[in-house]
Amino acid sequence: MKTPASWSSKIGFILSAAGSAIGLGAIWKFPYTAGTNGGAVFFLLFLLFTILIAMPVQLAEFYIGRKSGKNAIDSFKTLAPGTLWPWIGRLGVFACFILLSFYSVVGGWVLNYVVHAFTGAIHTGADFKELFNATIASPWGSIAYQGLFMLMTIWVVKSGISDGIEKANRYLMPALFILFLLLAIRSLTLPNAMAGVTFLLKPDLSEVTSQTMLTALGQAFFALSIGVSTMITYAAYLDREHDLFRSGNSIMWMNLLVSLLAGLVIFPAVFAFGFQPSEGPGLIFVVLPAVFMHMPFGTLLFAVFMLLVVFATLTSAFSMLETVIAAIIREDESKRTSRTWVIGIAIFIVGIPSALSFGVLSDMTFFGKTLFDLWDFMITALIMPFSALAVSIFVGWVQQRATVLEHMREGSDVPQAIILLWLNTLRWLAPLAILLVFANTLGWI
């Protein structure tokens, strides 16, 4: 019998894990990163690195979670008692807490833009750069929308796995795919849209550089949500009949599909109306409103697009908060509601300085970075690759090889040769690739 602390179905887990991975990384970060790194070449490298390196690490996190059946911290205590490995779990929980504190700020911006679209602030002739700067600089507006985003996240997570997270993702993820598909079709019918398709899908291999390769590798890690223990937490609620390989494969391709659809929504429209694909992080908030204003029913279509971003941002937020809550309640579901409110409010409070980093606290810097940028660098550039490296070493080398192979065969009809290939990739290729990303991030190469 399934309980509120377990997945009620295989598809529920797949949709929720995919929702965790498909967030701002696929819809916001992928398009602007591809736009500034050669388009199709970047997408090709991102595709290869996701399949060959990021997915094996994600499967390793699945192993840790399902094998132990515990939260991110206790899973390492169960699999490696009396060692320092639980600190990797603690690092993941800490990362989720901090990550959600500033991720909710961006989620608040997205919610604010939905309101902008429906209240007339998004219109032909508007100065979208000025609107974006005013939106992120407004102290009360930033805090209010950040709080609303956290309230929505808390409301879902407090209801548990099957009644909260899984139920929400059953509606949000299909809606996201359907709306994205409709927007992509509309974008592809614009004049000169094929120039955008060519930019995204016709690689010029002469543009491959070491920097492009390393950026694509980092995006692959970010896109599958590895290195912050969310996949460990979600996999802990799985039974032994669940096929980890097929689930991992489904989650990976869903993520790649959304990244592709994001590119097919954005780049054809950008080229159709004479904008530059290399606009950077402001692509969604500054360039896209101007693009949509060139379309019939542009304001409505832009509102739909931002609703998509809200859906994707929320599904990732659920997994971050759940990772922290699971580690605190330690399987005592009677504590879930109260602890979710307490922790959610604490994350909101910690995130307030990040929300103010673009306005009243913009002059407060640490190592030349605002608090928002400092947290972002610490999580995505330091903790995520370090934790991913630790997971690959833990499963690939610390755990008994026979134990790992036996567990990964449970519930799976994947050929033994594929499982062996996965383990060898985890042991050799993944650590080397992660070390390269880590070194590049720190400026060592």
Side-chain angles (χ1 to χ4, degrees):
M1 179 179 176
K2 301 294 183 182
T3 70
S6 63
W7 304 109
S8 66
S9 66
K10 293 180 180 180
I11 191 63
F13 166 72
I14 291 172
L15 288 175
S16 298
S20 172
I22 298 168
L24 291 177
I27 296 179
W28 172 59
K29 192 173 183 181
F30 170 77
Y32 86 72
T33 307
T36 55
N37 285 277
V41 163
F42 177 85
F43 183 55
L44 177 62
L45 292 171
F46 167 66
L47 177 68
L48 292 173
F49 291 149
T50 299
I51 295 170
L52 297 176
I53 299 167
M55 183 184 172
V57 178
Q58 184 184 64
L59 288 171
E61 293 196 347
F62 285 173
Y63 164 83
I64 294 171
R66 190 178 73 168
K67 175 69 173 173
S68 65
K70 303 291 184 181
N71 61 74
I73 299 173
D74 290 341
S75 59
F76 286 97
K77 290 181 179 180
T78 300
L79 300 179
T83 68
L84 295 177
W85 283 104
W87 281 101
I88 299 301
R90 293 186 182 100
L91 187 64
V93 172
F94 170 77
C96 281
F97 186 99
I98 297 299
L99 179 57
L100 186 52
S101 76
F102 68 84
Y103 189 90
S104 61
V105 174
V106 183
W109 298 345
V110 176
L111 285 173
N112 200 345
Y113 262 69
V114 173
V115 175
H116 283 335
F118 283 110
T119 57
I122 305 293
H123 59 83
T124 303
D127 186 332
F128 295 113
K129 189 173 184 63
E130 181 179 331
L131 176 63
F132 179 60
N133 290 335
T135 298
I136 65 177
S138 169
W140 293 113
S142 295
I143 293 172
Y145 281 103
Q146 177 211 0
L148 177 60
F149 182 85
M150 279 305 305
L151 181 63
M152 295 166 72
T153 304
I154 292 168
W155 192 259
V156 171
V157 174
K158 75 177 181 60
S159 298
I161 292 295
S162 60
D163 292 334
I165 295 172
E166 182 178 349
K167 188 177 292 185
N169 278 288
R170 279 181 176 274
Y171 293 101
L172 293 182
M173 291 305 295
L176 186 148
F177 279 103
I178 292 168
L179 291 175
F180 241 137
L181 187 60
L182 292 174
L183 281 176
I185 292 171
R186 177 66 187 98
S187 192
L188 289 170
T189 59
L190 294 170
N192 200 35
M194 287 304 106
V197 176
T198 299
F199 177 78
L200 180 64
L201 298 180
K202 188 178 179 181
D204 179 358
L205 297 181
S206 66
E207 294 186 13
V208 175
T209 65
S210 59
Q211 183 61 45
T212 301
M213 294 179 68
L214 291 168
T215 304
L217 191 55
Q219 176 66 19
F221 292 154
F222 191 82
L224 284 189
S225 192
I226 59 176
V228 289
S229 298
T230 55
M231 294 297 109
I232 294 175
T233 302
Y234 272 11
Y237 300 117
L238 290 173
D239 57 40
R240 297 302 174 94
E241 288 84 41
H242 199 99
D243 190 329
L244 296 182
F245 281 91
R246 293 192 184 280
S247 293
N249 188 58
S250 299
I251 293 161
M252 178 193 70
W253 286 111
M254 288 172 70
N255 187 280
L256 290 172
L257 176 60
V258 169
S259 296
L260 174 62
L261 287 174
L264 291 176
V265 168
I266 291 170
F267 292 123
V270 167
F271 277 86
F273 299 118
F275 292 94
Q276 293 299 315
S278 56
E279 290 289 340
L283 191 62
I284 281 183
F285 296 105
V286 178
V287 176
L288 278 192
V291 168
F292 276 99
M293 290 308 101
H294 286 80
M295 300 181 187
F297 308 106
T299 302
L300 176 61
L301 288 173
F302 181 72
V304 171
F305 180 82
M306 294 313 290
L307 280 174
L308 284 177
V309 184
V310 170
F311 290 172
T313 309
L314 280 170
T315 54
S316 293
F318 298 157
S319 67
M320 295 177 210
L321 184 55
E322 175 60 26
T323 298
V324 181
I325 298 304
I328 289 176
I329 66 174
R330 302 183 71 176
E331 302 176 65
D332 185 354
E333 288 295 313
S334 66
K335 298 178 180 177
R336 174 175 287 274
T337 299
S338 61
R339 297 299 190 274
T340 302
W341 279 109
V342 171
I343 297 301
I345 291 171
I347 291 172
F348 164 70
I349 293 171
V350 170
I352 289 176
S354 293
L356 301 177
S357 290
F358 302 89
V360 295
L361 297 184
S362 60
D363 293 331
M364 188 175 75
T365 60
F366 305 86
F367 309 105
K369 299 178 184 294
T370 64
L371 186 61
F372 181 99
D373 292 332
L374 181 67
W375 285 140
D376 186 22
F377 178 81
M378 183 180 74
I379 300 298
T380 61
L382 300 179
I383 292 180
M384 288 181 76
F386 176 78
S387 296
L389 176 63
V391 165
S392 65
I393 292 173
F394 180 76
V395 176
W397 295 99
V398 176
Q399 291 288 281
Q400 291 291 326
R401 184 173 182 272
T403 301
V404 173
L405 292 174
E406 179 183 358
H407 183 80
M408 295 304 286
R409 278 196 295 267
E410 291 189 37
S412 177
D413 57 2
V414 173
Q416 179 71 3
I418 298 296
I419 300 178
L420 287 170
L421 177 62
W422 160 73
L423 185 58
N424 285 321
T425 301
L426 187 70
R427 300 180 87 183
W428 301 104
L429 184 59
L432 176 61
I434 294 168
L435 285 171
L436 286 174
V437 172
F438 198 65
N440 176 67
T441 299
L442 296 178
W444 296 345
I445 58 174

